[in-house]
Amino acid sequence: MSTTAPNASPAPRGHDPLAALGSLPGVPDAVDSVRKAVDRVYGHRVMRRRSNEVTSEAALRAARGSAALSGADWALEEVRRRSDFGAAADALTVGAALRLTAEAGQLLSIWRQSPVRVLARLHLVAAGGAGASTGVDTARAADTAPAAGVAGVAGETVGRPRLAGEPVVETPGPEMPKPLIEAPLPPADEVAGRLDGLAELVIAGSSAPALVMAAVVHGELLALRPFGSYNGLVARAADRIVLVGSGLDPKSICPSEVGHAELGRAAYVAAFDGYLSGTPDGMAAWIAHCGRAVELGVRESTAVCEALQRGAA
């Protein structure tokens, strides 16, 4: 699905192209199911006293899940104990996922004003470029290309959308594993136009439920693969920003990345094919899949709450 044609004029003021998606068959039920699940975990008694611990654990599990989808399927305890995320592709991926999960919560206020700048910052952080972990000003960091990134990422490509002729290597490193998303890459000029269209949608806001907006942001970034690397990780981080910033999951305790990983890479790709089709049935299937992932993330955090209540975590 394209949020706008590459050379389309901005949508007329008051136009809400996402509103219709909220009424597709099965989507209202998915939205309602997600809302009830989220409300239940937020009502857990542990959340009244130890919500920061639940948030921290959810972030760790989200990073593990997102990395698993990108081919680095490490055990949770391995992610928890490791401090070295060196040159191997899987270690680079896990390190990038951890940095993105930590960074996403700091970008909420900027997202609604400048989503493209936030996406540039997310890629900068994922690629481990200059200032990625130093807390430097987000706008300045996104506007300045770093001198170098991690192994396999050309420094001049980090933190900006790809240009014509530039390749996309989803997971840099000596192994260069097969990418999860193998749909044809849109050309750079189309990427630029569709990113602008996506930004317009975010800035204008929508009456569509948060789940719908998050699914569209996630799907569109997977379709565009606007950066030279780590597009899947960035897409899932942007999904997280939407869910948190919308107020659906303000404490970031419902890690959809966990659910996507649990549902599996094959199911993720199949549901994404529905998004790419742009058909009502395909879009509904993608949104419902994203909703199920949130519910499974809720289940994970509910288990964390129960463990904390028992003193087991």
Side-chain angles (χ1 to χ4, degrees):
M1 174 191 176
S2 170
T3 53
T4 184
N7 299 309
S9 300
R13 194 172 186 85
H15 179 57
D16 187 354
L18 299 188
L21 298 180
S23 59
L24 290 175
V27 172
D29 289 341
V31 169
D32 185 56
S33 184
V34 165
R35 167 52 68 189
K36 288 177 178 176
V38 171
D39 286 347
R40 282 195 299 272
V41 71
Y42 271 86
H44 197 287
R45 61 187 301 177
V46 165
M47 288 297 296
R48 294 196 294 270
R49 308 184 314 276
R50 305 178 70 177
S51 63
N52 288 342
E53 293 173 69
V54 180
T55 296
S56 295
E57 189 63 23
L60 184 72
R61 296 176 187 224
R64 194 217 74 82
S66 192
L69 284 169
S70 289
D73 193 2
W74 287 14
L76 180 63
E77 291 311 311
E78 179 72 3
V79 178
R80 196 189 303 280
R81 74 170 185 82
R82 283 284 288 268
S83 58
D84 174 24
F85 301 99
D90 60 343
L92 289 171
T93 298
V94 174
L98 287 166
R99 289 192 299 273
L100 281 174
T101 304
E103 184 76 7
Q106 302 179 46
L107 301 175
L108 297 172
S109 63
I110 302 170
W111 174 254
R112 285 297 299 271
Q113 283 75 46
S114 186
V116 173
R117 183 167 288 182
V118 167
L119 294 172
R121 172 64 184 175
L122 290 173
H123 186 248
L124 179 76
V125 169
S133 59
T134 62
V136 299
D137 175 73
T138 300
R140 179 165 56 83
D143 284 341
T144 305
V150 297
V153 181
E156 68 273 11
T157 70
V158 174
R160 64 153 173 80
R162 57 187 168 84
L163 303 178
E166 290 182 343
V168 172
V169 179
E170 180 59 27
T171 306
E175 300 93 342
M176 287 195 181
K178 185 177 178 181
L180 179 60
I181 303 301
E182 297 187 285
L185 276 173
D189 58 348
E190 181 180 342
V191 169
R194 287 172 63 174
L195 277 179
D196 286 345
L198 185 64
E200 289 172 7
L201 286 177
V202 171
I203 293 167
S206 174
S207 62
L211 174 64
V212 172
M213 177 64 86
V216 168
V217 168
H218 186 162
E220 190 70 354
L221 293 174
L222 284 182
L224 295 178
R225 282 146 293 163
F227 301 108
S229 58
Y230 296 122
N231 288 291
L233 296 181
V234 169
R236 291 184 288 276
D239 184 314
R240 167 177 288 269
I241 288 172
V242 174
L243 293 175
V244 173
S246 68
L248 177 65
D249 179 23
K251 294 183 182 294
S252 195
I253 62 166
C254 306
S256 62
E257 301 94 329
V258 169
H260 283 301
E262 183 172 337
L263 290 166
R265 285 160 58 93
Y268 186 70
V269 172
F272 173 65
D273 283 345
Y275 180 88
L276 280 181
S277 76
T279 64
D281 286 348
M283 291 298 297
W286 170 246
I287 294 167
H289 185 86
C290 290
R292 181 60 180 150
V294 175
E295 290 185 68
L296 290 171
V298 168
R299 188 178 71 180
E300 186 87 353
S301 286
T302 301
V304 170
C305 289
E306 295 294 329
L308 288 169
Q309 186 167 284
R310 295 192 306 269

